[in-house]
Amino acid sequence: MSDAVSELRDVEVTVNGTVRRERVEPRLTLADFLRHTLGLTGTHVGCEHGVCGCCTVRLDGAAVRSCILFAVQAHGRRIETVEGLADGESLHPLQEAFSDHGALQCGFCTPGFLMTAIEFLDRYPDPDEEAVRDALSGSLCRCTGYQSIVAAVLDAARRLRQGG
Amino acid sequence: MKPAPFAYRDPDTVDEVLALLAEHGDDAKLLAGGQSLGPMLNMRVVSPAVVVDLNRVKALAGRGGSASGGFVIGALVRQADLEDDPAFAAAQPLAAAALPFIAHRPIRNRGTVAGSLVHADPAAEWGGVVLALDARIEVRQAGGASPRTVAAEDFFTGILETAVEPDELLAEIRLPPWPEDARWGFREFARRRGDFALAGVACRFEVDGAGGGRSVRIGLFGVGDTAVRARRAEAVLEGETPGPEVFAAAAAAVQDEVEPLDDGHASAGYRRHLAGVLVEDALADAWARNGGDEGEAA
Ligand SMILES: Cc1cc2nc3c(=O)[nH]c(=O)nc-3n(C[C@H](O)[C@H](O)[C@H](O)COP(=O)(O)OP(=O)(O)OC[C@H]3O[C@@H](n4cnc5c(N)ncnc54)[C@H](O)[C@@H]3O)c2cc1C
Ligand code: FES
Ligand code: FES
């Protein structure tokens, strides 16, 4: 084994607009970095192998699984998490739509759905139901049966097109 | 489920990558999109001493048309890069059609074509695609040896095994120029959208002057240890006039020649059945897509 194993690395990332500098082990996943190092526990961890979508955040704008990305890989990059969606006390239109449609029950999956959907709506502002279902297919929800989530994303698309 | 400790290297150049591979050999793992390696590290299926991150090597991120009219995909090109590239869809319609079937967008945002090929999941779409396209894969090794080129049909050597050795780098994938008037089909069956397919097929053929199938390629995935060409089915169509009867005969040949695996997702028998149905449908799609035999009818 190389003596480099326990080498710590400095990472500097911009999280929801704020620059954060930390020293981390290379094996620390971005999800654990956000939750444990930075205390941003809005990003949830379900499966830890890329399947459930709970841990989805945006890396330089792209929706990615933070459980299979290492914090060291985010060095110099921009991260957005669910905490960055609301503007102070006022919810993002996508969050409002989730609330209005009852698109969550336990809420465990919700941060991942929100971060996946927001990236999708950036690319496809006027999607049909089929496209929404396809976009959300990588996120698992054990409570809602998805109907209300799909309805909320379609509604959010309308609200966003009308300027929130 | 946390990875074992490892040393992290993030070189900027291909030479540095190769030097690190030469130094650490089997103890090192290359990290591309991390969409297969990440889960394996988390589950400690692998625990390399050194992880060599390719993501800062700009020279590997290139993609585009080559001088010969083909399309080159660098090792760091992500599935989503190609999905969003109209030039790729125009140049390589079959590969472009396969992309949306690969996992989900957040996975495609990170996952690379090269990583998919080297991981060599038997059900990965790219396996069937590179076989159908006669792709060539450039591999570079440590120690200054000149790069070698591996033909797609020699690439997959076993379940999760390829011609790329542990101290080698897959540098780029070269898709040959798209033959004018080539017809293509892509079909797969998965339980849920984005899941690995239970079986799938990528096919392409041309039609010769006498109206017979030519350069027939049928690349199957999900129906064995590796992606495979359905050579007997290809032979059925080669030189024959395309049409429903020939496609059905090709399907029967496929069911005869595949050796699918039995696993928790599907029985071998079901996969064999699926392979035939999908090949028949994909060939029919290919034929219909370019107007079928309307040329003759007109
Ligand atoms: C939930 C989920 C669903 C998925 N569904 C599908 C699916 O339906 N179809 C499908 O095809 N795939 C699927 N995948 C796998 C995904 O496509 C991976 O991205 C891909 O298999 C690996 O690409 P990567 O760039 O992430 O490689 P990595 O995970 O970084 O690497 C994979 C392996 O290849 C090696 N490697 C990577 N690049 C190179 C290189 N240039 N030279 C030499 N070795 C290299 C690594 O060392 C490692 O052993 C899925 C993954 C997940 C998490
Ligand atoms: S925790 Fe990352 S995808 Fe499930
Ligand atoms: S709301 Fe409970 S898992 Fe989705």
Side-chain angles (χ1 to χ4, degrees):
Chain A
M1 278 265 172
S2 144
D3 53 359
V5 156
S6 54
E7 239 173 49
L8 298 180
R9 301 259 305 204
D10 290 317
V11 294
E12 182 178 308
V13 289
T14 305
V15 182
N16 301 327
T18 306
V19 177
R20 310 291 299 254
R21 282 184 206 86
E22 301 288 343
R23 209 144 233 236
V24 301
E25 263 192 285
R27 65 166 163 160
L28 184 70
T29 64
L30 180 62
D32 286 346
F33 174 75
L34 292 168
R35 291 176 54 81
H36 302 152
T37 312
L38 301 185
L40 294 171
T41 53
T43 299
H44 290 171
V45 171
C47 69
E48 294 190 303
H49 63 281
V51 173
C52 74
C54 286
C55 67
T56 306
V57 300
R58 296 180 81 173
L59 173 74
D60 287 345
V64 299
R65 306 288 205 230
S66 62
C67 70
I68 46 177
L69 193 71
F70 295 106
V72 288
Q73 296 187 277
H75 178 64
R77 321 273 303 259
R78 202 177 78 241
I79 307 283
E80 275 124 35
T81 69
V82 69
E83 285 92 346
L85 282 182
D87 181 7
E89 289 298 297
S90 76
L91 291 180
H92 185 281
L94 178 63
Q95 291 172 306
E96 269 176 358
F98 264 61
S99 167
D100 292 349
H101 288 267
L104 59 150
Q105 289 177 29
C106 78
F108 194 83
C109 67
T110 313
F113 271 98
L114 292 171
M115 299 315 285
T116 305
I118 195 91
E119 185 227 41
F120 167 70
L121 293 177
D122 275 357
R123 283 182 291 119
Y124 298 99
D126 190 8
D128 61 15
E129 181 183 331
E130 188 59 19
V132 170
R133 288 191 180 273
D134 184 58
L136 301 180
S137 65
S139 293
L140 302 182
C141 175
R142 298 292 77 162
C143 302
T144 62
Y146 303 99
Q147 271 325 92
S148 54
I149 298 180
V150 172
V153 172
L154 285 166
D155 192 17
R158 273 189 295 277
R159 296 180 194 202
L160 287 164
R161 285 199 306 277
Q162 289 158 8
Chain B
M1 262 196 18
K2 310 292 176 192
F6 54 78
Y8 175 76
R9 297 286 176 266
D10 53 345
D12 297 311
T13 67
V14 171
D15 285 342
E16 289 170 79
V17 172
L18 296 176
L20 284 163
L21 286 177
E23 183 186 344
H24 299 287
D26 271 358
D27 291 336
K29 269 275 173 202
L30 296 177
L31 172 63
Q35 304 301 290
S36 294
L37 185 58
M40 291 193 298
L41 288 167
N42 285 358
M43 294 189 241
R44 302 199 182 191
V45 176
V46 293
S47 4
V50 185
V51 167
V52 179
D53 188 351
L54 298 175
N55 284 279
R56 293 185 199 272
V57 186
K58 293 209 176 60
L60 295 176
R63 68 171 192 275
S66 65
S68 64
F71 201 98
V72 179
I73 302 169
L76 255 191
V77 173
R78 303 184 199 278
Q79 316 269 18
D81 295 337
L82 294 176
E83 191 180 3
D84 294 345
D85 182 356
F88 183 67
Q92 294 289 340
L94 170 52
L99 285 167
F101 289 91
I102 302 169
H104 316 278
R105 179 71 187 205
I107 308 286
R108 297 195 296 272
N109 276 339
R110 294 297 296 170
T112 63
V113 180
S116 171
L117 289 173
V118 177
H119 184 62
D121 189 297
E125 285 79 1
W126 274 103
V129 169
V130 294
L131 289 169
L133 299 181
D134 285 333
R136 304 192 55 85
I137 292 150
E138 188 183 288
V139 178
R140 303 196 45 180
Q141 53 272 86
S146 55
R148 63 195 179 94
T149 305
V150 182
E153 56 187 316
D154 301 324
F155 187 78
F156 302 104
T157 54
I159 191 156
L160 306 180
E161 298 275 342
T162 72
V164 181
E165 300 293 333
D167 62 345
E168 291 185 320
L169 169 75
L170 191 171
E172 63 185 34
I173 299 110
R174 296 200 207 112
L175 306 182
W178 184 262
E180 217 184 320
D181 299 331
R183 292 141 193 272
W184 60 273
F186 181 88
R187 287 267 182 156
E188 73 168 52
F189 183 79
R191 282 251 169 71
R192 292 167 306 191
R193 202 179 320 231
D195 279 8
F196 274 106
L198 295 181
V201 56
C203 70
R204 184 171 78 178
F205 62 89
E206 296 165 58
V207 179
D208 65 24
R214 184 180 67 188
S215 304
V216 184
R217 293 286 181 280
I218 300 176
L220 302 172
F221 50 97
V223 292
D225 286 353
T226 68
V228 281
R229 270 177 62 184
R231 286 176 190 277
R232 281 190 227 163
E234 290 174 358
V236 167
L237 178 55
E238 197 74 40
E240 292 297 321
T241 307
E245 276 150 42
V246 178
F247 300 155
V254 163
Q255 285 167 339
D256 220 31
E257 71 184 303
V258 291
E259 289 169 34
L261 306 173
D262 251 330
D263 63 21
H265 300 291
S267 67
Y270 180 54
R271 285 198 158 96
R272 182 185 305 281
H273 166 77
L274 266 181
V277 173
L278 294 169
V279 164
E280 189 168 350
D281 289 349
L283 289 171
D285 286 348
W287 188 230
R289 181 164 279 122
N290 287 43
D293 55 0
E294 75 187 356
E296 288 155 46

